[in-house]
Amino acid sequence: MSTHPQTALPLADPARTARLRAALLAAGFTADGLLDLLGAPAYAALARGETVPAERATRQDGPLATLVRLFLLQRPVPYRQADAVLPLAECLADGWLVGDGGTGEGPAEQVRAVVDIRPYGGPEGEDWWIVSDLGCAVGGANGAAAARGVDRSRLVLGVGGASTTLAGVTVRKPAGKALDLGTGSGIQALHATRHATRVTATDVNPRALEFTRLTLALSGAPEADLRQGSLFEPVAGETFDLIVSNPPFVISPARSAPAGPDTDGPDTDGTDADASPFGRLVYRDGGLGGDALCRTLVRESAAHLNDGGWCQLLANWEHVAGEDWRDRLRSWVPDGCDAWIVQREVQDVTQYAELWLRDAGDHLGDPARYAARYDAWLEEFRSRGTTAVGFGWITLRKTGAARPSVVVEEWPHPVEQPLGAVIADHFDRQDYLREHDDAALLGARFRLADEVVQEQIGLPGAEDPEHVVLRQNRGMRRATEVDTVGAGFAGVCDGSLSAGRILDAIAQLLGEDPVLLRDRTPEAIRLLVEQGFLVPVGDE
């Protein structure tokens, strides 16, 4: 029986970890294998922390069912079953598993997992595994619950919707140096190893760095340079081609806790884990007031970017009474950087407080305690003038441009992931538009972007449509209304004629003055280019 301490994390001996990886592959413990075994509904429920559908789907014995029960459902399994699937002696010795039962003279009757090992499919079909703490799912039914012997405030989560969103929007251009700031269980660092020569991963939580080490090792990825510290402190004076961060962006109260007993326990650094009314969880609560952590990360990023480098992160931001949220976010953007900020969702303060109280499991305890914590969140928001909280993506590119492009918009509609290439194209188009004045734009040639369709909307039987809409079926899936000239212009853009010549032909067809049409149309062309409906292909 293993004597590996329950609070310690597994070791990652290269040879033995490779044998564990081979055993997982042989049993089909992969993203595709899980989908086949569980079915889509149970697979999706498991990602939400709901286990009952997966329990039903794994009632039949088999190698894959054994691994699902062990690592995902986190149930003990008989020693003999685990031994038939895994290099069990090594897994026990290295601390991936511990034994339960037995006499101490022979093998344990059962074994159980020390960590969550979750299959994850890479962008090119790679079979990867994300290693994290047991029993953690953002928004799960039971909140963030710590396994035995684990400091709840230092929990490290696995794959969630936010982490996969960030992975999908990240620009995947070859990079010399990449930084994963606030690495957590290491999913962003794992992606970065595919296109960056050197990957540095930082986190204020030392447990997170150990989980990142395990994630990379079990997935067969190159090692990363792991450093402990807050924000940019561990990389002071260094610059990178890519910075990605899924930071602890939750906007949570910072006031003293309401009176009453608390069982959250202390942080490992000696500070009170419940010094605020919600019980600080390092993976989500940055410890700064309001949205200051995200604002600081954005403002300081430029000093750590090489020319042409990217910074991409997820963030929450406050909507403050009397202020335009777009102006607030524009003020975050550092000099010398282009920016594209997309608000994907907005929650009023009550919805927001309820989401994160459930995440902490406060809804399962004493109703009076829950009410006191809920009230503390609302009081904090009232004192700051916060009326709502936005969530979205922030992308910066260091250009040094004298006229930086800063686009801040709301886009709550469905998009097609991955969007990394779409985001890179957006910034390329900003460069193009910055370099082309109206006269140059009329001398340029364009083509209609792939999978753009035209929709005509009007009353049945009407001779002319009331509205003409161009719609993208890929990427951001935008739609924009155009007039007759805009529709005709986009329809004939195949890269063969300049914009000016097309407008001259349209003017002749419509009986308009071509000079006046040339004067008023560049603004519309500029918008269609900026939003990706038209793709520049060259100049006359």
Side-chain angles (χ1 to χ4, degrees), residues 110-123:
Q110 298 184 117
V111 296
R112 58 180 175 81
V114 172
V115 292
D116 183 301
I117 298 178
R118 196 153 300 244
Y120 178 77

Side-chain angles (χ1 to χ4, degrees), residues 76-429:
V77 303
Y79 183 100
R80 295 183 183 277
Q81 282 188 14
D83 195 34
V85 183
L86 298 169
L88 189 54
E90 294 180 349
C91 288
L92 289 167
D94 286 352
W96 296 95
L97 305 173
V98 294
D100 283 338
T103 63
E105 299 177 357
E109 293 177 358
Q110 298 184 117
V111 296
R112 58 180 175 81
V114 172
V115 292
D116 183 301
I117 298 178
R118 196 153 300 244
Y120 178 77
E124 301 297 329
E126 302 94 337
D127 289 314
W128 289 339
W129 294 269
I130 309 299
V131 187
S132 63
D133 269 313
L134 298 171
C136 294
V138 175
N142 296 317
R148 283 182 281 181
V150 177
D151 179 356
R152 181 175 179 271
S153 71
R154 297 290 176 174
L155 289 172
V156 177
L157 269 64
V159 181
S163 53
T164 56
T165 293
L166 179 58
V169 302
T170 300
V171 174
R172 298 297 175 191
K173 293 188 174 184
K177 294 176 61 181
L179 170 64
D180 177 11
L181 191 154
T183 185
S185 56
I187 181 174
Q188 310 306 330
L190 180 58
H191 275 278
T193 61
R194 293 187 65 255
H195 62 99
T197 304
R198 294 176 55 193
V199 176
T200 300
T202 68
D203 206 290
V204 71
N205 184 359
R207 282 175 57 80
L209 299 177
E210 291 305 310
F211 274 116
T212 294
R213 189 189 312 278
L214 294 171
T215 290
L216 296 177
L218 190 56
S219 299
E223 294 182 359
D225 180 6
L226 305 177
R227 306 185 197 178
Q228 184 182 355
S230 177
L231 294 175
F232 290 106
E233 291 173 2
V235 294
E238 297 183 52
T239 56
F240 300 86
D241 302 300
L242 172 67
I243 299 171
V244 292
S245 183
N246 180 13
F249 53 64
V250 175
I251 299 172
S252 47
R255 297 171 182 268
S256 59
D262 199 325
T263 58
D264 285 347
D267 277 353
T268 55
D269 62 6
T271 59
D272 185 358
D274 200 32
S276 65
F278 55 87
R280 183 166 180 252
L281 299 172
V282 175
Y283 71 82
R284 68 170 207 185
D285 304 307
L288 301 180
D291 51 22
L293 184 139
C294 293
R295 181 174 68 250
T296 300
L297 201 162
V298 171
R299 286 180 173 174
E300 294 183 358
S301 63
H304 296 275
L305 286 175
N306 293 324
D307 291 341
W310 303 84
C311 175
Q312 297 187 266
L313 65 145
L314 304 184
N316 276 181
W317 45 77
E318 296 172 288
H319 286 224
V320 179
E323 296 184 30
D324 187 318
W325 68 270
R326 296 173 180 83
D327 291 339
R328 288 193 75 244
L329 293 186
R330 287 189 187 97
S331 73
W332 293 10
V333 178
D335 293 340
C337 288
D338 286 358
W340 187 15
I341 302 173
V342 181
Q343 180 167 274
R344 295 288 291 155
E345 183 180 0
V346 181
Q347 289 187 323
D348 67 49
V349 293
T350 60
Q351 293 173 308
Y352 192 79
E354 290 161 12
L355 169 65
W356 296 109
L357 287 167
R358 286 195 304 272
D359 173 69
D362 288 323
H363 62 306
L364 302 175
D366 178 8
R369 176 184 173 85
Y370 173 79
R373 293 193 170 202
Y374 196 157
D375 184 69
W377 282 75
L378 297 185
E379 176 58 23
E380 178 79 1
F381 285 137
R382 184 206 63 78
S383 69
R384 298 182 61 83
T386 306
T387 59
V389 177
F391 169 84
W393 324 318
I394 298 177
T395 300
L396 307 176
R397 188 182 63 173
K398 189 171 184 178
T399 62
R403 295 183 294 113
S405 166
V406 178
V407 177
V408 183
E409 63 175 324
E410 185 167 19
W411 191 256
H413 311 293
V415 298
E416 182 188 46
Q417 286 274 36
L419 282 168
V422 173
I423 290 174
D425 288 345
H426 166 90
F427 284 86
D428 288 343
R429 293 194 299 270

